[in-house]
Amino acid sequence: MKVWLKYLIGIALGILTAVLLPPGTAQAESALNFIVEIVVRFGRYTLLPLLFFSVATAFFKLQEDRLLLKTGIWTGSIILISSAALMALGLISSLVVRLPRIPITVEKMNDIPSLDWENLLRALFPYSGFEALLDGAYLLPCFVLAGIAGMGAAVDKSATKSAVSLFESLSRLFYIVMSFFSEVLAVGMIAIMCRWTLDFIFVLKAKVYLPLILMLSADLFIMVFVIYPLVLRFLCHDPHPFRVLYAGICPFMAAFFSGDTNLALQINMRHGKESLGIRSRVNSVTFPLFSIFGRGGAAWVTAVCFVLVFRSYSSLRISFSDIMWVAGLSFILSFALMQIPYGGPFIAVTVMCVLYGRGFEAGYLLLKDASPVICSFAAGMDAITAMVGSYIVGVKTGRIRHQELKKFI
């Protein structure tokens, strides 16, 4: 059975559980949240070991093939362009379509989340390199350490031959373990989907968020089924671009309904390798970089949500300078979410409201109740973008073996 079908069955069972057996007490809600947390922890369990050994091996092989710089340039360019394009999509759609205002809340601000650039840099280079292997949310320190190890091994191949063989063997080992965990995670999707369905039902009952959900759905459809296929057709000369999207079905479902970009990373890596045929040396580098930096979906959702908050608070027309401010800050903040795999867009909107001031400081509270569903769109878009972007890099570096559709997992 295809992996995406297993996940789809888990999703269907989760919906039925939420509709037929909704938690009726606070204790039941707490138990469901606990189960979801355990499932997410289970899904991320093998991420850091796999990431470290796979990235180190990939850097060594790319350096050996003289493709490290080319791979990095293509990946970085696609991340920047896709993030800018998604931000522009969100900003244009929110300016063209005037969403109904959300009633102002009387809730007061309490603990305001923030983004600390200084801590991000400190965590990037901890006092001990081993600390880079401890944080399951902030993946960049692990990626950097692994990359340095891989490039170091390429300097003296004879002296590091045994280490490279060990790293490659461990990479394959943890890939096998990860594949098993990703299969079992289909069962865990029951709890994740049950939680998401309950949140979605709550948002639908509120009614005020329905226009926002419809706009995000329309944007997602346009980007995934129109723009991305055209990009693949133009850049890769692929006569069947929709097979790339087919390979992204399972990662999209995992990312969308969990809202967790790190949870979807391993599933993306597996489908990129086994379905699309992207070779490990590229697959192991591009997908982590997209998961860390490629948060264009967050920039898209942040831009849409801040414009909605602005129009809910003010009947004035948004000035050109404010539009440029929203565009620039939503784009920049998307790169600051590398330490926040879950709920990043809501935090970005919060930061923008506080920075904008002028009585908008509490504007983020208008979206608080709907934040789990809103952030799902960003995570799903990021998963598809990572799949499309990694495929392009694989084609442009010549490190891909095209698979027949029937061989897709």
Side-chain angles (χ1 to χ4, degrees):
M1 183 184 292
K2 301 291 185 182
V3 177
W4 68 269
L5 278 175
K6 297 177 184 178
Y7 276 67
L8 189 61
I9 292 172
I11 288 170
L13 292 175
I15 295 174
L16 289 175
T17 303
V19 174
L20 301 179
L21 300 171
T25 63
Q27 291 81 1
E29 284 275 355
S30 179
L32 176 60
N33 292 334
F34 175 75
I35 294 172
V36 172
E37 181 183 356
I38 293 299
V39 170
V40 172
R41 287 173 178 265
F42 177 87
R44 290 192 195 174
Y45 189 70
T46 59
L47 179 56
L48 282 181
L50 174 67
L51 188 66
F52 178 78
F53 293 113
S54 297
V55 170
T57 304
F59 265 71
F60 174 81
K61 291 185 176 181
L62 287 173
Q63 184 73 5
E64 191 176 41
D65 294 345
R66 301 182 183 276
L67 283 174
L68 185 59
L69 181 60
K70 184 177 182 180
T71 302
I73 290 174
W74 269 107
T75 305
S77 300
I78 294 172
I79 287 174
L80 290 173
I81 293 171
S82 63
S83 296
L86 285 166
M87 176 276 299
L89 173 68
L91 192 57
I92 292 172
S93 61
S94 61
L95 292 173
V96 172
V97 180
R98 192 179 184 92
L99 294 175
R101 298 172 65 179
I102 298 177
I104 305 299
T105 179
V106 295
E107 184 179 354
K108 296 182 179 180
M109 295 186 296
N110 37 37
D111 295 330
I112 303 176
S114 61
L115 298 172
D116 193 336
W117 289 93
E118 292 182 0
N119 281 337
L120 284 176
L121 292 175
R122 288 194 188 100
L124 183 58
F125 296 102
Y127 286 112
S128 170
F130 289 108
E131 293 182 34
L133 306 177
L134 301 178
D135 193 342
Y138 189 25
L139 304 180
L140 186 57
C142 177
F143 185 91
V144 170
L145 178 62
I148 292 173
M151 293 179 66
V155 173
D156 190 343
K157 298 177 184 177
S158 59
T160 59
K161 183 177 180 180
S162 299
V164 171
S165 298
L166 176 63
F167 277 28
E168 188 172 5
S169 179
L170 288 172
S171 173
R172 292 174 179 173
L173 168 64
F174 282 107
Y175 184 87
I176 293 171
V177 175
M178 177 273 289
S179 299
F180 170 75
F181 271 63
S182 66
E183 295 278 350
V184 178
L185 186 61
V187 179
M189 288 301 296
I190 298 174
I192 289 176
M193 190 62 206
C194 182
R195 176 71 275 167
W196 190 90
T197 303
L198 293 173
D199 291 334
F200 186 67
I201 292 173
F202 176 80
V203 169
L204 288 182
K205 288 180 178 179
K207 294 184 180 180
V208 293
Y209 301 111
L210 183 58
L212 173 60
I213 300 300
L214 292 175
M215 172 181 280
L216 293 177
S217 300
D219 285 349
L220 181 65
F221 182 88
I222 292 171
M223 200 70 190
V224 172
F225 293 103
V226 179
I227 297 177
Y228 280 161
L230 290 175
V231 170
L232 289 170
R233 189 76 175 87
F234 175 75
L235 284 179
C236 303
H237 307 290
D238 193 333
H240 305 291
F242 284 96
R243 67 194 189 93
V244 180
L245 303 179
Y246 176 67
I249 290 177
C250 187
F252 172 81
M253 291 190 296
F256 187 90
F257 295 115
S258 70
D260 194 309
T261 56
N262 285 359
L263 183 67
L265 171 56
Q266 298 175 97
I267 305 172
N268 245 336
M269 292 175 67
R270 187 181 176 198
H271 280 266
K273 179 180 178 179
E274 298 183 40
S275 294
L276 294 181
I278 305 172
R279 296 188 65 179
S280 295
R281 64 194 66 187
V282 171
N283 186 76
S284 300
V285 171
T286 56
F287 280 112
L289 285 177
F290 272 100
S291 183
I292 296 168
F293 296 109
R295 306 292 292 276
W300 157 57
V301 171
T302 301
V304 171
C305 289
F306 186 81
V307 171
L308 176 58
V309 169
F310 184 97
R311 285 176 167 167
S312 296
Y313 268 79
S314 174
S315 58
L316 298 177
R317 184 178 180 182
I318 304 178
S319 65
F320 180 77
S321 60
D322 284 337
I323 292 174
M324 291 297 99
W325 182 85
V326 173
L329 197 57
S330 58
F331 177 77
I332 293 172
L333 287 178
S334 69
F335 294 97
L337 301 177
M338 59 184 76
Q339 198 177 13
I340 308 171
Y342 177 81
F346 179 70
I347 294 177
V349 172
T350 302
V351 172
M352 289 181 70
C353 289
V354 173
L355 290 177
Y356 190 77
R358 310 178 203 180
F360 285 74
E361 290 85 351
Y364 69 95
L365 293 174
L366 301 183
L367 303 169
K368 183 179 178 181
D369 293 336
S371 61
V373 176
I374 293 172
C375 293
S376 293
F377 284 89
M381 182 73 85
D382 288 336
I384 289 292
T385 302
M387 183 65 74
V388 172
S390 296
Y391 178 78
I392 293 173
V393 176
V395 171
K396 293 302 179 181
T397 57
R399 294 299 180 266
I400 190 169
R401 297 169 181 163
H402 294 287
Q403 304 273 23
E404 297 179 11
L405 196 63
K406 64 182 181 180
K407 293 183 179 180
F408 281 32
I409 61 173

